[in-house]
Amino acid sequence: MTQGAVQQSFRFGNTELPPDAQRARRRAVRLAWLTIGFLVTAVTATYLVMGSSQAMKAAWAEDLLSFIPPVAFLVALHVTGRVPSERHPYGYHRSVGIGHLVAATALLTMGAFLVFDSLSGLLAGEHPPVGLIVVLGHEIWAGWLMVAVLAYTIVPPVLLGRAKMPLAEQLHDRVLYADADMNKADWMTAVGGIVGVLGIGAGLWWADAVAALFISGSILHDGVRNLRSAVAALMDARATTVDGTQPHPLHDRIDATLRALPWVAQAQSRVRDEGHVFHVEAFVVPRDGMPTQAQLQHAWHAVADLDWKVQDLVVAPVDELPEELLPGLRDKSVQPRSQR
């Protein structure tokens, strides 16, 4: 492999990843392929034993949907490796957001359909038949095979999800985070399915539909939550942590770094999430006239060196902080250091 190919493999656009992020990327790719391999076995086994059980059908559908996040992650990772072009001067970082949106939409759509289907079966009083089958010359209840397959799907997703979560935070990858979050919760789907199947064996015909409704509701919940986060990111909301719940701490670090410069009286930035990296527009009010080119270059490097996620950065000297470009500026009460 050539040196250029190696660099292309470990860059997000123009951003060359530091060694720890490169290692995280390699491990995340391996885990994504491991997830796909596991899902192939889980989907196949569930399909072979699911019969007419609604809970098993819902579990099978969730396993099918679970293919989307790791595949979207691998595709987005490949696309974001492209350097910016004339047509795409900001690079291809939004592919992460698109992958997140696709995965969330699929979860929402399938979850809504399965909730409707499960609820219809429950209201209609459907009694799913789970009979006997012959295995190696012995008759056994088919429900035990269902329970065995569901039990097989409990542990691996949890381990994969726990391994992916810190990598998603390190790479600031929302698709990987959504995948990890779904993996960590998959044990509830399997346990719910087991309860439903055992309920059928105990003569509780409604247990299967209730378990299917529980699984479907979990899928729908994941879809709604991820769709909200994906849409917010694509709508240029302020940069947040990878789970979308808190403002990203890098924003405050950028402002603090600029305000610490001796020639800066005031500083405030706006930061938007492009995918793995951030686009930063920093407005600074000089103390005494227009800053020199050397001062601006020093300010640019001071911010860019804070974190590899700071990719597109503009440092703009202004007479006063523009409130129309910095909503909430008055609430933050950004004052010169001499007035604090």
Side-chain angles (χ1 to χ4, degrees), residues 60 80 103-104 114 137 147 151 173 185 219 232 237 275 291 310:
W60 180 68
T80 54
L114 290 174
V147 170
D173 194 300
I219 297 173
V310 179

Side-chain angles (χ1 to χ4, degrees), residues 87-340:
R87 185 176 182 182
H88 296 276
Y90 294 98
Y92 296 84
H93 305 290
R94 290 290 193 188
S95 59
V96 176
I98 294 172
H100 193 196
L101 180 63
V102 169
T105 303
L107 287 170
L108 177 65
T109 304
M110 183 58 73
F113 170 76
L114 290 174
V115 166
F116 173 78
D117 186 61
S118 303
L119 190 59
S120 299
L122 181 61
L123 295 177
E126 296 179 357
H127 291 59
V130 180
L132 300 176
I133 61 173
V134 178
V135 178
L136 300 177
H138 299 280
E139 287 188 346
I140 64 171
W141 181 52
W144 293 124
L145 290 181
M146 298 179 184
V147 170
V149 169
L150 289 170
Y152 164 68
T153 64
I154 290 179
V155 177
V158 175
L159 298 179
L160 288 168
R162 290 185 178 277
K164 292 174 188 175
M165 192 65 73
L167 303 178
E169 295 174 353
Q170 187 174 356
L171 295 172
H172 193 70
D173 194 300
R174 294 183 187 278
V175 180
L176 184 61
Y177 182 86
D179 187 21
D181 196 37
M182 287 174 58
N183 289 156
K184 288 177 63 179
D186 275 352
W187 69 270
M188 292 188 294
T189 296
V191 171
I194 290 174
V195 171
V197 172
L198 293 179
I200 297 174
L204 304 176
W205 63 267
W206 47 265
D208 183 62
V210 170
L213 192 59
F214 168 77
I215 296 171
S216 304
S218 174
I219 297 173
L220 182 61
H221 176 264
D222 286 339
V224 171
R225 184 161 49 86
N226 281 285
L227 185 63
R228 185 184 298 117
S229 177
V231 170
L234 290 175
M235 289 291 290
D236 287 336
R238 66 180 179 181
T240 62
T241 51
V242 71
D243 59 0
T245 59
Q246 299 292 332
H248 200 283
L250 184 57
H251 193 165
D252 288 338
R253 291 177 58 201
I254 291 171
D255 292 343
T257 298
L258 291 172
R259 292 170 192 159
L261 298 176
W263 59 271
V264 173
Q266 292 176 288
Q268 187 73 24
S269 62
R270 57 180 183 177
V271 182
R272 62 179 176 180
D273 193 335
E274 293 286 332
H276 297 110
V277 298
F278 296 158
H279 175 83
V280 181
E281 294 170 295
F283 302 93
V284 294
V285 178
R287 290 187 178 279
D288 301 306
M290 182 62 65
T292 65
Q293 182 178 355
Q295 288 175 322
L296 287 175
Q297 281 187 324
H298 178 262
W300 191 96
H301 285 293
V303 173
D305 291 342
L306 286 175
D307 197 289
W308 62 266
K309 289 186 283 293
V310 179
Q311 183 190 48
D312 291 327
L313 169 63
V314 176
V315 179
V318 292
D319 293 331
E320 59 181 18
L321 295 177
E323 293 186 14
E324 67 277 10
L325 299 181
L326 299 169
L329 180 62
R330 290 185 177 180
D331 296 337
K332 294 182 179 180
S333 300
V334 180
Q335 298 290 337
R337 287 184 296 174
S338 60
Q339 297 180 15
R340 294 181 182 175

